[in-house]
PDB file of all heavy atoms in Angstrom:
ATOM      1  N   LEU A 457      75.462 224.130  53.141  1.00 98.00           N
ATOM      2  CA  LEU A 457      75.136 222.714  53.148  1.00 98.00           C
ATOM      3  C   LEU A 457      73.635 222.541  53.332  1.00 98.00           C
ATOM      4  O   LEU A 457      72.982 223.096  54.222  1.00 98.00           O
ATOM      5  CB  LEU A 457      75.796 221.945  54.328  1.00 98.00           C
ATOM      6  CG  LEU A 457      75.525 220.468  54.354  1.00 98.00           C
ATOM      7  CD1 LEU A 457      76.391 219.794  53.268  1.00 98.00           C
ATOM      8  CD2 LEU A 457      76.041 219.934  55.774  1.00 98.00           C
ATOM      9  N   ASP A 458      72.970 221.781  52.348  1.00 98.00           N
ATOM     10  CA  ASP A 458      71.597 221.665  52.305  1.00 98.00           C
ATOM     11  C   ASP A 458      71.104 220.393  52.889  1.00 98.00           C
ATOM     12  O   ASP A 458      70.095 220.292  53.601  1.00 98.00           O
ATOM     13  CB  ASP A 458      71.080 221.735  50.909  1.00 98.00           C
ATOM     14  CG  ASP A 458      71.197 223.076  50.314  1.00 98.00           C
ATOM     15  OD1 ASP A 458      70.747 224.160  50.868  1.00 98.00           O
ATOM     16  OD2 ASP A 458      71.838 223.246  49.251  1.00 98.00           O
ATOM     17  N   SER A 459      71.816 219.245  52.695  1.00 98.00           N
ATOM     18  CA  SER A 459      71.370 217.944  53.298  1.00 98.00           C
ATOM     19  C   SER A 459      72.602 217.003  53.380  1.00 98.00           C
ATOM     20  O   SER A 459      73.697 217.366  52.766  1.00 98.00           O
ATOM     21  CB  SER A 459      70.306 217.357  52.377  1.00 98.00           C
ATOM     22  OG  SER A 459      70.856 216.860  51.117  1.00 98.00           O
ATOM     23  N   ILE A 460      72.409 215.900  54.051  1.00 98.00           N
ATOM     24  CA  ILE A 460      73.507 215.062  54.312  1.00 98.00           C
ATOM     25  C   ILE A 460      73.331 213.673  53.724  1.00 98.00           C
ATOM     26  O   ILE A 460      72.132 213.138  53.885  1.00 98.00           O
ATOM     27  CB  ILE A 460      73.748 214.896  55.883  1.00 98.00           C
ATOM     28  CG1 ILE A 460      74.109 216.263  56.394  1.00 98.00           C
ATOM     29  CG2 ILE A 460      74.823 213.923  56.162  1.00 98.00           C
ATOM     30  CD1 ILE A 460      74.185 216.265  57.985  1.00 98.00           C
ATOM     31  N   PRO A 461      74.255 213.173  52.992  1.00 98.00           N
ATOM     32  CA  PRO A 461      73.990 211.761  52.413  1.00 98.00           C
ATOM     33  C   PRO A 461      74.042 210.768  53.522  1.00 98.00           C
ATOM     34  O   PRO A 461      74.356 210.969  54.647  1.00 98.00           O
ATOM     35  CB  PRO A 461      75.228 211.597  51.441  1.00 98.00           C
ATOM     36  CG  PRO A 461      76.227 212.498  52.001  1.00 98.00           C
ATOM     37  CD  PRO A 461      75.571 213.717  52.684  1.00 98.00           C
ATOM     38  N   GLY A 462      73.732 209.483  53.120  1.00 98.00           N
ATOM     39  CA  GLY A 462      73.596 208.382  54.110  1.00 98.00           C
ATOM     40  C   GLY A 462      74.749 207.632  54.334  1.00 98.00           C
ATOM     41  O   GLY A 462      74.721 206.599  55.122  1.00 98.00           O
ATOM     42  N   GLY A 463      75.931 207.941  53.785  1.00 98.00           N
ATOM     43  CA  GLY A 463      77.131 207.066  53.903  1.00 98.00           C
ATOM     44  C   GLY A 463      77.674 206.968  55.359  1.00 98.00           C
ATOM     45  O   GLY A 463      77.335 207.793  56.180  1.00 98.00           O
ATOM     46  N   GLY A 464      78.543 205.954  55.431  1.00 98.00           N
ATOM     47  CA  GLY A 464      79.255 205.846  56.723  1.00 98.00           C
ATOM     48  C   GLY A 464      78.444 205.052  57.819  1.00 98.00           C
ATOM     49  O   GLY A 464      79.003 204.815  58.837  1.00 98.00           O
ATOM     50  N   ALA A 465      77.251 204.671  57.554  1.00 98.00           N
ATOM     51  CA  ALA A 465      76.483 203.969  58.579  1.00 98.00           C
ATOM     52  C   ALA A 465      76.938 202.506  58.644  1.00 98.00           C
ATOM     53  O   ALA A 465      76.951 201.980  59.768  1.00 98.00           O
ATOM     54  CB  ALA A 465      74.960 203.950  58.199  1.00 98.00           C
ATOM     55  N   GLU A 466      77.422 201.929  57.530  1.00 98.00           N
ATOM     56  CA  GLU A 466      77.827 200.482  57.501  1.00 98.00           C
ATOM     57  C   GLU A 466      76.842 199.600  58.128  1.00 98.00           C
ATOM     58  O   GLU A 466      75.717 199.619  57.718  1.00 98.00           O
ATOM     59  CB  GLU A 466      79.257 200.419  58.164  1.00 98.00           C
ATOM     60  CG  GLU A 466      80.252 201.585  57.936  1.00 98.00           C
ATOM     61  CD  GLU A 466      80.355 202.179  56.529  1.00 98.00           C
ATOM     62  OE1 GLU A 466      79.774 201.525  55.609  1.00 98.00           O
ATOM     63  OE2 GLU A 466      80.986 203.246  56.326  1.00 98.00           O
ATOM     64  N   VAL A 467      77.247 198.860  59.201  1.00 98.00           N
ATOM     65  CA  VAL A 467      76.247 198.102  59.982  1.00 98.00           C
ATOM     66  C   VAL A 467      76.482 198.537  61.367  1.00 98.00           C
ATOM     67  O   VAL A 467      77.664 198.584  61.856  1.00 98.00           O
ATOM     68  CB  VAL A 467      76.501 196.518  59.788  1.00 98.00           C
ATOM     69  CG1 VAL A 467      75.565 195.783  60.634  1.00 98.00           C
ATOM     70  CG2 VAL A 467      76.234 196.144  58.304  1.00 98.00           C
ATOM     71  N   PHE A 468      75.424 198.890  62.059  1.00 98.00           N
ATOM     72  CA  PHE A 468      75.636 199.493  63.431  1.00 98.00           C
ATOM     73  C   PHE A 468      76.150 198.515  64.489  1.00 98.00           C
ATOM     74  O   PHE A 468      76.779 198.972  65.445  1.00 98.00           O
ATOM     75  CB  PHE A 468      74.258 200.055  63.881  1.00 98.00           C
ATOM     76  CG  PHE A 468      73.742 201.224  63.097  1.00 98.00           C
ATOM     77  CD1 PHE A 468      72.336 201.374  62.918  1.00 98.00           C
ATOM     78  CD2 PHE A 468      74.613 202.150  62.545  1.00 98.00           C
ATOM     79  CE1 PHE A 468      71.814 202.414  62.092  1.00 98.00           C
ATOM     80  CE2 PHE A 468      74.120 203.232  61.792  1.00 98.00           C
ATOM     81  CZ  PHE A 468      72.710 203.347  61.570  1.00 98.00           C
ATOM     82  N   SER A 469      76.002 197.290  64.242  1.00 98.00           N
ATOM     83  CA  SER A 469      76.423 196.247  65.257  1.00 98.00           C
ATOM     84  C   SER A 469      77.856 196.495  65.691  1.00 98.00           C
ATOM     85  O   SER A 469      78.840 196.514  64.906  1.00 98.00           O
ATOM     86  CB  SER A 469      76.397 194.864  64.685  1.00 98.00           C
ATOM     87  OG  SER A 469      77.383 193.985  65.265  1.00 98.00           O
ATOM     88  N   PRO A 470      78.130 196.662  67.059  1.00 98.00           N
ATOM     89  CA  PRO A 470      79.488 196.801  67.544  1.00 98.00           C
ATOM     90  C   PRO A 470      80.420 195.629  67.140  1.00 98.00           C
ATOM     91  O   PRO A 470      81.583 195.859  66.894  1.00 98.00           O
ATOM     92  CB  PRO A 470      79.320 196.951  69.068  1.00 98.00           C
ATOM     93  CG  PRO A 470      77.908 197.244  69.296  1.00 98.00           C
ATOM     94  CD  PRO A 470      77.150 196.702  68.095  1.00 98.00           C
ATOM     95  N   ARG A 471      79.857 194.421  67.091  1.00 98.00           N
ATOM     96  CA  ARG A 471      80.670 193.284  66.684  1.00 98.00           C
ATOM     97  C   ARG A 471      81.228 193.479  65.316  1.00 98.00           C
ATOM     98  O   ARG A 471      82.438 193.363  65.026  1.00 98.00           O
ATOM     99  CB  ARG A 471      79.866 192.002  66.744  1.00 98.00           C
ATOM    100  CG  ARG A 471      80.602 190.802  66.298  1.00 98.00           C
ATOM    101  CD  ARG A 471      79.657 189.579  65.968  1.00 98.00           C
ATOM    102  NE  ARG A 471      79.062 189.665  64.653  1.00 98.00           N
ATOM    103  CZ  ARG A 471      79.597 189.319  63.501  1.00 98.00           C
ATOM    104  NH1 ARG A 471      80.796 188.767  63.478  1.00 98.00           N
ATOM    105  NH2 ARG A 471      79.006 189.498  62.421  1.00 98.00           N
ATOM    106  N   VAL A 472      80.298 193.907  64.344  1.00 98.00           N
ATOM    107  CA  VAL A 472      80.786 194.072  62.929  1.00 98.00           C
ATOM    108  C   VAL A 472      81.753 195.247  62.868  1.00 98.00           C
ATOM    109  O   VAL A 472      82.795 195.154  62.228  1.00 98.00           O
ATOM    110  CB  VAL A 472      79.495 194.325  62.090  1.00 98.00           C
ATOM    111  CG1 VAL A 472      79.958 194.746  60.658  1.00 98.00           C
ATOM    112  CG2 VAL A 472      78.594 193.151  62.043  1.00 98.00           C
ATOM    113  N   ARG A 473      81.449 196.340  63.592  1.00 98.00           N
ATOM    114  CA  ARG A 473      82.330 197.497  63.479  1.00 98.00           C
ATOM    115  C   ARG A 473      83.781 197.227  63.993  1.00 98.00           C
ATOM    116  O   ARG A 473      84.743 197.602  63.441  1.00 98.00           O
ATOM    117  CB  ARG A 473      81.725 198.646  64.209  1.00 98.00           C
ATOM    118  CG  ARG A 473      80.508 199.278  63.431  1.00 98.00           C
ATOM    119  CD  ARG A 473      79.917 200.420  64.256  1.00 98.00           C
ATOM    120  NE  ARG A 473      80.132 201.748  63.565  1.00 98.00           N
ATOM    121  CZ  ARG A 473      79.491 202.119  62.497  1.00 98.00           C
ATOM    122  NH1 ARG A 473      78.589 201.290  61.924  1.00 98.00           N
ATOM    123  NH2 ARG A 473      79.715 203.356  61.949  1.00 98.00           N
ATOM    124  N   GLU A 474      83.807 196.485  65.193  1.00 98.00           N
ATOM    125  CA  GLU A 474      85.078 196.087  65.699  1.00 98.00           C
ATOM    126  C   GLU A 474      85.868 195.333  64.767  1.00 98.00           C
ATOM    127  O   GLU A 474      87.175 195.480  64.635  1.00 98.00           O
ATOM    128  CB  GLU A 474      84.774 195.229  66.982  1.00 98.00           C
ATOM    129  CG  GLU A 474      86.041 194.952  67.854  1.00 98.00           C
ATOM    130  CD  GLU A 474      86.888 196.185  68.217  1.00 98.00           C
ATOM    131  OE1 GLU A 474      86.244 197.237  68.500  1.00 98.00           O
ATOM    132  OE2 GLU A 474      88.124 196.062  68.164  1.00 98.00           O
ATOM    133  N   GLU A 475      85.197 194.498  63.928  1.00 98.00           N
ATOM    134  CA  GLU A 475      85.884 193.674  62.935  1.00 98.00           C
ATOM    135  C   GLU A 475      86.301 194.412  61.707  1.00 98.00           C
ATOM    136  O   GLU A 475      87.400 194.169  61.141  1.00 98.00           O
ATOM    137  CB  GLU A 475      85.016 192.493  62.584  1.00 98.00           C
ATOM    138  CG  GLU A 475      85.517 191.329  61.934  1.00 98.00           C
ATOM    139  CD  GLU A 475      86.744 190.718  62.703  1.00 98.00           C
ATOM    140  OE1 GLU A 475      86.606 190.481  63.908  1.00 98.00           O
ATOM    141  OE2 GLU A 475      87.782 190.496  62.039  1.00 98.00           O
ATOM    142  N   VAL A 476      85.391 195.230  61.075  1.00 98.00           N
ATOM    143  CA  VAL A 476      85.646 195.789  59.809  1.00 98.00           C
ATOM    144  C   VAL A 476      86.037 197.266  59.768  1.00 98.00           C
ATOM    145  O   VAL A 476      86.570 197.729  58.790  1.00 98.00           O
ATOM    146  CB  VAL A 476      84.518 195.595  58.801  1.00 98.00           C
ATOM    147  CG1 VAL A 476      84.223 194.075  58.684  1.00 98.00           C
ATOM    148  CG2 VAL A 476      83.266 196.312  59.160  1.00 98.00           C
ATOM    149  N   CYS A 477      85.638 198.025  60.847  1.00 98.00           N
ATOM    150  CA  CYS A 477      85.969 199.416  60.860  1.00 98.00           C
ATOM    151  C   CYS A 477      86.123 199.928  62.367  1.00 98.00           C
ATOM    152  O   CYS A 477      85.376 200.759  62.800  1.00 98.00           O
ATOM    153  CB  CYS A 477      84.894 200.279  60.157  1.00 98.00           C
ATOM    154  SG  CYS A 477      83.220 199.961  60.640  1.00 98.00           S
TER     155      CYS A 477
END
Side-chain angles (χ1 to χ4, degrees):
L457 184 71
D458 294 306
S459 70
I460 298 176
E466 323 315 354
V467 175
F468 295 143
S469 150
R471 180 195 76 86
V472 172
R473 288 180 111 74
E474 187 52 41
E475 195 56 47
V476 303
C477 52

